[in-house]
Amino acid sequence: MLEIIYEDEHLIAINKPHGLLVHQSSIARDATEFALQMLRDQVGKHVSPVHRLDRKTSGILLFAFDKESEIAMHQQFMNAATEKKYLAILRGFTPDEMDIDYPLAKENGTMQDAFTSFKTLQKAEVDVAFGKHATSRYSLVEATPKTGRMHQLRRHFSHILHPIIGDRTHGCNKQNKFFLEQWNMTTMLLHASELKFIHPKNQKEIHLKAGLHDEFKRVMDFMKMKL
Protein backbone atom coordinates (compact mmCIF):
# COMPACT_ATOMS: atom_id res chain seq x y z
CA MET A 1 0.00 0.00 0.00
CA LEU A 2 1.28 3.44 -0.94
CA GLU A 3 1.39 6.10 1.78
CA ILE A 4 -1.19 8.78 0.91
CA ILE A 5 -0.25 12.15 2.42
CA TYR A 6 -2.99 14.29 0.84
CA GLU A 7 -6.31 13.68 -0.87
CA ASP A 8 -9.35 15.70 -1.91
CA GLU A 9 -11.79 15.34 -4.79
CA HIS A 10 -9.31 16.80 -7.31
CA LEU A 11 -5.79 15.88 -6.15
CA ILE A 12 -3.97 13.11 -4.34
CA ALA A 13 -0.33 12.91 -3.20
CA ILE A 14 1.77 9.96 -2.09
CA ASN A 15 5.12 9.51 -0.37
CA LYS A 16 6.81 7.53 -3.15
CA PRO A 17 9.31 4.89 -2.01
CA HIS A 18 12.83 4.70 -3.43
CA GLY A 19 13.07 2.48 -6.51
CA LEU A 20 9.46 2.85 -7.70
CA LEU A 21 8.86 4.17 -11.22
CA VAL A 22 6.09 6.73 -11.68
CA HIS A 23 4.78 4.91 -14.77
CA GLN A 24 5.86 2.35 -17.35
CA SER A 25 8.96 3.29 -19.31
CA SER A 26 10.97 1.71 -22.11
CA ILE A 27 14.12 2.77 -20.22
CA ALA A 28 13.41 0.41 -17.30
CA ARG A 29 11.97 -2.78 -18.70
CA ASP A 30 12.90 -4.69 -15.53
CA ALA A 31 10.23 -2.89 -13.48
CA THR A 32 6.93 -4.64 -12.75
CA GLU A 33 5.35 -2.14 -10.34
CA PHE A 34 4.52 1.49 -11.05
CA ALA A 35 3.17 4.24 -8.80
CA LEU A 36 0.47 5.22 -11.30
CA GLN A 37 -1.09 1.75 -11.53
CA MET A 38 -0.61 0.99 -7.82
CA LEU A 39 -2.36 4.20 -6.76
CA ARG A 40 -5.15 3.75 -9.29
CA ASP A 41 -5.83 0.25 -7.97
CA GLN A 42 -5.54 1.41 -4.35
CA VAL A 43 -8.11 4.23 -4.63
CA GLY A 44 -10.21 2.69 -7.41
CA LYS A 45 -10.09 5.82 -9.57
CA HIS A 46 -8.21 7.13 -12.59
CA VAL A 47 -5.17 9.24 -11.63
CA SER A 48 -2.67 11.23 -13.70
CA PRO A 49 0.77 12.37 -12.48
CA VAL A 50 1.28 16.14 -12.72
CA HIS A 51 5.08 16.07 -12.31
CA ARG A 52 7.82 13.45 -12.10
CA LEU A 53 10.32 11.99 -9.68
CA ASP A 54 13.25 9.83 -10.69
CA ARG A 55 12.90 6.12 -9.95
CA LYS A 56 15.46 6.21 -7.12
CA THR A 57 14.18 9.50 -5.65
CA SER A 58 11.63 9.16 -2.84
CA GLY A 59 9.06 11.63 -1.55
CA ILE A 60 6.09 13.73 -2.59
CA LEU A 61 4.45 12.73 -5.87
CA LEU A 62 1.26 14.54 -6.84
CA PHE A 63 -1.54 13.21 -9.04
CA ALA A 64 -4.79 14.67 -10.36
CA PHE A 65 -8.15 12.94 -10.58
CA ASP A 66 -9.58 15.16 -13.36
CA LYS A 67 -8.17 16.64 -16.58
CA GLU A 68 -8.78 20.27 -15.60
CA SER A 69 -6.78 19.93 -12.37
CA GLU A 70 -4.07 18.00 -14.19
CA ILE A 71 -3.60 20.78 -16.77
CA ALA A 72 -3.65 23.51 -14.11
CA MET A 73 -1.02 21.74 -12.02
CA HIS A 74 1.14 21.04 -15.07
CA GLN A 75 1.13 24.79 -15.69
CA GLN A 76 2.19 25.55 -12.12
CA PHE A 77 5.14 23.17 -12.34
CA MET A 78 6.14 24.43 -15.79
CA ASN A 79 5.96 28.06 -14.69
CA ALA A 80 7.97 27.41 -11.49
CA ALA A 81 4.96 28.53 -9.44
CA THR A 82 5.43 25.68 -6.97
CA GLU A 83 7.97 25.56 -4.15
CA LYS A 84 9.88 22.30 -3.72
CA LYS A 85 12.33 21.20 -1.05
CA TYR A 86 14.52 18.12 -1.09
CA LEU A 87 16.77 16.40 1.42
CA ALA A 88 19.98 14.81 0.16
CA ILE A 89 23.16 13.26 1.56
CA LEU A 90 26.21 14.37 -0.38
CA ARG A 91 29.86 13.36 -0.53
CA GLY A 92 32.18 15.64 1.44
CA PHE A 93 31.62 18.70 3.62
CA THR A 94 29.46 21.24 1.76
CA PRO A 95 29.34 25.03 2.29
CA ASP A 96 26.84 26.24 4.91
CA GLU A 97 24.77 27.84 2.14
CA MET A 98 25.18 28.08 -1.61
CA ASP A 99 23.39 29.14 -4.78
CA ILE A 100 24.17 27.10 -7.89
CA ASP A 101 23.51 29.05 -11.10
CA TYR A 102 24.62 26.61 -13.79
CA PRO A 103 22.83 26.07 -17.13
CA LEU A 104 22.01 22.49 -18.09
CA ALA A 105 21.71 20.96 -21.55
CA LYS A 106 18.51 19.31 -22.75
CA GLU A 107 18.72 15.99 -24.62
CA ASN A 108 18.82 17.91 -27.92
CA GLY A 109 21.76 20.00 -26.69
CA THR A 110 19.82 23.21 -26.06
CA MET A 111 21.04 24.98 -22.94
CA GLN A 112 18.54 25.96 -20.24
CA ASP A 113 18.98 28.19 -17.22
CA ALA A 114 19.03 26.17 -13.99
CA PHE A 115 19.19 27.53 -10.47
CA THR A 116 19.37 25.68 -7.13
CA SER A 117 19.79 26.99 -3.58
CA PHE A 118 20.80 24.77 -0.70
CA LYS A 119 21.75 24.94 2.95
CA THR A 120 23.74 22.41 4.92
CA LEU A 121 21.80 20.95 7.84
CA GLN A 122 24.45 18.62 9.28
CA LYS A 123 27.88 17.19 8.57
CA ALA A 124 29.18 13.75 9.50
CA GLU A 125 32.61 12.19 9.63
CA VAL A 126 32.35 8.40 9.62
CA ASP A 127 35.22 6.43 11.11
CA VAL A 128 35.59 4.24 8.04
CA ALA A 129 38.52 4.69 5.65
CA PHE A 130 37.77 5.57 2.05
CA GLY A 131 40.60 5.46 -0.49
CA LYS A 132 43.58 7.41 0.84
CA HIS A 133 41.44 9.10 3.51
CA ALA A 134 41.30 7.73 7.07
CA THR A 135 37.64 8.76 7.47
CA SER A 136 34.61 9.46 5.24
CA ARG A 137 32.87 12.83 5.19
CA TYR A 138 29.26 13.55 4.28
CA SER A 139 26.71 16.37 4.43
CA LEU A 140 22.93 16.42 4.83
CA VAL A 141 21.50 19.32 2.83
CA GLU A 142 18.12 20.88 2.15
CA ALA A 143 17.89 21.91 -1.50
CA THR A 144 15.40 24.25 -3.16
CA PRO A 145 15.44 24.09 -6.96
CA LYS A 146 14.12 27.30 -8.52
CA THR A 147 13.82 25.67 -11.95
CA GLY A 148 12.75 22.15 -12.87
CA ARG A 149 15.30 20.74 -15.29
CA MET A 150 15.90 17.04 -15.91
CA HIS A 151 18.05 15.60 -13.09
CA GLN A 152 18.73 19.18 -11.97
CA LEU A 153 19.74 18.50 -8.37
CA ARG A 154 21.80 15.45 -9.34
CA ARG A 155 23.67 17.38 -12.03
CA HIS A 156 24.12 20.52 -9.94
CA PHE A 157 25.57 18.66 -6.94
CA SER A 158 27.86 16.72 -9.26
CA HIS A 159 28.98 20.03 -10.81
CA ILE A 160 30.13 21.39 -7.41
CA LEU A 161 31.91 18.06 -6.71
CA HIS A 162 29.53 17.01 -3.91
CA PRO A 163 27.51 14.29 -5.70
CA ILE A 164 24.46 12.65 -4.16
CA ILE A 165 25.25 9.28 -2.59
CA GLY A 166 23.73 6.47 -4.65
CA ASP A 167 23.44 8.49 -7.89
CA ARG A 168 24.75 6.09 -10.52
CA THR A 169 24.40 8.42 -13.50
CA HIS A 170 25.85 11.66 -12.16
CA GLY A 171 27.46 10.53 -8.91
CA CYS A 172 30.68 8.91 -7.77
CA ASN A 173 30.88 5.22 -8.68
CA LYS A 174 33.59 4.59 -6.07
CA GLN A 175 31.37 6.02 -3.31
CA ASN A 176 28.35 4.07 -4.53
CA LYS A 177 30.37 0.84 -4.53
CA PHE A 178 31.70 1.74 -1.08
CA PHE A 179 28.15 2.13 0.29
CA LEU A 180 27.07 -1.14 -1.29
CA GLU A 181 30.02 -3.10 0.15
CA GLN A 182 30.15 -1.35 3.53
CA TRP A 183 26.43 -0.94 4.32
CA ASN A 184 24.53 -2.86 1.60
CA MET A 185 22.98 0.41 0.46
CA THR A 186 21.78 0.86 -3.14
CA THR A 187 19.26 3.68 -2.66
CA MET A 188 19.91 7.18 -3.99
CA LEU A 189 19.82 9.49 -0.97
CA LEU A 190 17.49 12.12 -2.44
CA HIS A 191 14.04 12.76 -0.97
CA ALA A 192 11.33 15.21 -2.07
CA SER A 193 10.38 16.40 1.41
CA GLU A 194 8.09 19.42 0.89
CA LEU A 195 5.83 20.88 -1.79
CA LYS A 196 3.85 24.13 -1.82
CA PHE A 197 1.35 25.00 -4.53
CA ILE A 198 -1.92 26.84 -5.11
CA HIS A 199 -4.91 24.53 -5.29
CA PRO A 200 -6.32 24.73 -8.84
CA LYS A 201 -9.94 24.85 -7.64
CA ASN A 202 -10.15 26.85 -4.41
CA GLN A 203 -6.93 28.88 -4.86
CA LYS A 204 -5.73 28.06 -1.34
CA GLU A 205 -2.05 27.40 -0.64
CA ILE A 206 -1.36 23.73 0.01
CA HIS A 207 1.80 22.75 1.92
CA LEU A 208 2.66 19.04 1.83
CA LYS A 209 5.39 17.24 3.77
CA ALA A 210 6.66 13.68 3.40
CA GLY A 211 8.67 11.77 5.99
CA LEU A 212 11.89 9.95 5.16
CA HIS A 213 11.80 6.29 4.20
CA ASP A 214 13.61 3.61 6.21
CA GLU A 215 16.72 3.32 4.03
CA PHE A 216 17.43 7.06 4.20
CA LYS A 217 16.88 7.00 7.97
CA ARG A 218 19.20 3.99 8.31
CA VAL A 219 22.04 5.93 6.69
CA MET A 220 21.32 8.96 8.88
CA ASP A 221 21.44 6.71 11.95
CA PHE A 222 24.91 5.32 11.30
CA MET A 223 26.10 8.82 10.39
CA LYS A 224 24.58 10.08 13.68
CA MET A 225 22.52 12.70 11.84
CA LYS A 226 19.18 13.95 13.15
CA LEU A 227 16.52 16.27 11.77
Side-chain angles (χ1 to χ4, degrees):
M1 295 284 284
L2 295 168
E3 178 191 354
I4 295 171
I5 56 175
Y6 178 85
E7 184 177 4
D8 62 30
E9 59 183 312
H10 303 287
L11 301 172
I12 185 168
I14 65 168
N15 186 0
K16 186 183 85 68
H18 298 277
L20 181 65
L21 278 170
V22 176
H23 47 62
Q24 286 180 305
S25 169
S26 58
I27 300 170
R29 297 187 184 278
D30 62 309
T32 57
E33 291 187 317
F34 311 93
L36 175 64
Q37 285 84 355
M38 289 174 68
L39 184 60
R40 178 197 63 200
D41 294 345
Q42 188 169 323
V43 299
K45 295 165 69 174
H46 170 80
V47 294
S48 299
V50 299
H51 65 126
R52 61 173 180 258
L53 285 181
D54 295 335
R55 181 179 186 175
K56 292 180 72 178
T57 304
S58 62
I60 299 170
L61 185 61
L62 185 64
F63 296 81
F65 286 126
D66 58 273
K67 197 67 180 176
E68 198 173 309
S69 298
E70 179 189 352
I71 293 169
M73 288 309 306
H74 272 307
Q75 288 296 120
Q76 281 196 54
F77 279 97
M78 285 177 60
N79 297 334
T82 62
E83 183 180 321
K84 296 174 281 186
K85 290 186 179 180
Y86 290 77
L87 295 171
I89 294 180
L90 312 182
R91 182 187 70 185
F93 283 176
T94 51
D96 290 343
E97 292 186 2
M98 188 175 183
D99 294 330
I100 307 172
D101 186 357
Y102 179 70
L104 297 171
K106 296 173 67 175
E107 288 183 356
N108 63 8
T110 304
M111 299 303 293
Q112 293 181 302
D113 290 340
F115 188 88
T116 300
S117 295
F118 76 86
K119 61 182 179 181
T120 300
L121 302 180
Q122 288 185 50
K123 298 176 182 179
E125 189 161 11
V126 181
D127 192 21
V128 178
F130 177 72
K132 62 183 179 182
H133 303 286
T135 60
S136 307
R137 292 180 169 186
Y138 304 98
S139 299
L140 173 67
V141 303
E142 181 183 80
T144 306
K146 307 297 185 185
T147 49
R149 310 308 181 199
M150 177 73 79
H151 294 180
Q152 178 173 316
L153 294 179
R154 298 166 63 179
R155 294 160 78 183
H156 270 178
F157 285 130
S158 178
H159 170 67
I160 65 167
L161 305 180
H162 291 289
I164 299 170
I165 300 301
D167 184 350
R168 292 181 185 172
T169 308
H170 307 285
C172 172
N173 288 332
K174 288 182 179 178
Q175 277 284 356
N176 297 342
K177 184 181 179 185
F178 177 61
F179 268 74
L180 176 61
E181 293 174 348
Q182 192 72 33
W183 295 293
N184 194 30
M185 203 287 297
T186 59
T187 296
M188 182 169 67
L189 298 175
L190 179 62
H191 177 74
S193 56
E194 296 188 42
L195 175 65
K196 284 184 184 179
F197 60 92
I198 301 301
H199 196 285
K201 295 297 182 180
N202 59 30
Q203 304 305 306
K204 292 182 179 178
E205 183 181 79
I206 306 295
H207 185 186
L208 305 182
K209 295 183 179 182
L212 293 167
H213 289 279
D214 289 344
E215 193 71 343
F216 202 118
K217 288 191 285 189
R218 180 171 76 90
V219 175
M220 286 183 62
D221 284 345
F222 70 66
M223 289 187 178
K224 296 182 171 58
M225 291 176 170
K226 289 185 179 180
L227 284 175

